[in-house]
Amino acid sequence: MSKELLSDQGLRLDGRRANELRRVRCRLGVFSQPDGSAYLEMGNTKVLAAVYGPHQAKKANHDEVVVNCQYSMATFSTGERKTRPRGDRKSQEMTIHLQETLSAAIMTDLYPRSQIDVFIEVLQSDGGNYCASINAATLALIDAGICLKEYVCACTASLANDDVALMDVSNVEEVSGGPVLTVATLPKSGKIAFMEMSQRFHLDCLPKVLECATKGAKELYEILDKAVRDHLVEVGSTGDWGIVIK
């Protein structure tokens, strides 16, 4: 990765330190029609997630739940207008990755012969689309009351100056030509649900970059967990069941 991405003072182009996340904003229950929904921002990457289900699967011969995912990007999500916001090869690959990762987190044995639909729309893309999508989907699943083994959180990491690990890579850093490691973890158990490299890392550098990505995922877990707790307090204080009728 180019040395220009990390200044002599150890700052990146957006002013972050190497081991800092981008600003994260998130909210649960943004829509009333789905069973669960969430909105999440990681820097300038903005994602909506909606969950329907569990409901009866079209093919009811499955012993466990069918997790159906659909990933798409808005036509205005990037600098150039997308001619195919969904259905292209990249979107199909992302859909498969999301489906596999979320299936690893959901307690699938609790929903036999059922289906859970997860729809993800990237409103604005600025790097880390997969990570933002996973984190938003996790919140939406929780909002829908789907039982999870634990949170699944995702973060990227890369290298600057050949030896400094960068956490939560932005689009500028992604397209600069250096390798990017994407990791989705179950932070409390330390298990890895998904891992992908855009290019090969030197074997000596991989442990450092992997540690940086998993650390970012743990920090994201704390942020998501706080958002869930704050949402529960808000719902409990404003919902009918939280009101004492005299």
Side-chain angles (χ1 to χ4, degrees):
M1 203 172 254
S2 172
K3 294 182 179 180
E4 297 177 357
L5 295 181
L6 201 62
S7 69
D8 296 336
Q9 291 76 32
L11 298 177
R12 296 152 76 170
L13 295 177
D14 55 9
R16 289 183 292 155
R17 297 286 180 181
N19 60 347
E20 288 184 16
L21 293 170
R22 290 175 289 178
R23 182 181 63 180
V24 179
R25 292 181 175 181
C26 51
R27 183 180 176 185
L28 287 77
V30 293
F31 298 121
S32 58
Q33 294 89 347
D35 295 302
S37 59
Y39 171 77
L40 182 137
E41 296 181 5
M42 292 181 66
N44 291 323
T45 298
K46 304 176 182 181
V47 176
L48 278 172
V51 172
Y52 293 86
H55 56 83
Q56 185 174 357
K58 294 180 180 179
K59 296 181 179 180
N61 58 346
H62 299 278
D63 293 333
E64 295 185 346
V65 67
V66 176
V67 180
N68 173 51
C69 291
Q70 179 177 297
Y71 170 90
S72 60
M73 298 178 65
T75 55
F76 51 82
S77 61
T78 61
E80 299 180 357
R81 183 179 182 275
K82 285 180 64 66
T83 56
R84 297 187 64 186
R86 60 179 59 86
D88 60 321
R89 182 177 178 181
K90 186 175 181 180
S91 296
Q92 291 175 349
E93 289 179 353
M94 187 74 76
T95 295
I96 293 172
H97 294 329
L98 291 169
Q99 183 173 326
E100 292 175 347
T101 305
L102 295 176
S103 297
I106 295 173
M107 300 181 70
T108 55
D109 57 324
L110 297 182
Y111 308 102
R113 300 179 177 84
S114 300
Q115 179 172 318
I116 298 173
D117 299 314
V118 183
F119 298 92
I120 297 168
E121 180 85 4
V122 177
L123 302 178
Q124 184 168 306
S125 174
D126 188 38
N129 289 0
Y130 168 84
C131 298
S133 298
I134 280 293
N135 298 330
T138 297
L139 294 179
L141 287 167
I142 293 172
D143 186 47
I146 304 299
C147 294
L148 305 180
K149 298 172 185 175
E150 58 176 287
Y151 288 61
V152 55
C153 304
C155 188
T156 56
S158 188
L159 284 174
N161 300 7
D162 298 326
D163 62 349
V164 180
L166 298 181
M167 180 186 295
D168 190 14
V169 183
S170 67
N171 182 63
V172 173
E173 295 165 337
E174 279 186 357
V175 301
S176 65
V180 177
L181 178 68
T182 302
V183 176
T185 69
L186 307 177
K188 297 192 71 175
S189 64
K191 297 179 180 179
I192 294 178
F194 175 82
M195 184 167 64
E196 182 182 51
M197 292 183 288
S198 64
Q199 300 177 35
R200 293 182 180 179
F201 285 89
H202 191 281
L203 190 59
D204 295 337
C205 299
L206 183 58
K208 180 192 301 184
V209 179
L210 179 59
E211 180 182 2
C212 182
T214 52
K215 181 182 177 183
K218 290 180 180 179
E219 293 182 12
L220 284 162
Y221 162 72
E222 299 293 338
I223 295 171
L224 300 188
D225 186 58
K226 183 179 185 303
V228 171
R229 294 177 185 275
D230 291 345
H231 177 69
L232 291 175
V233 171
E234 180 181 350
V235 171
S237 61
T238 59
D240 292 339
W241 61 269
I243 299 175
V244 178
I245 301 176
K246 296 183 180 180

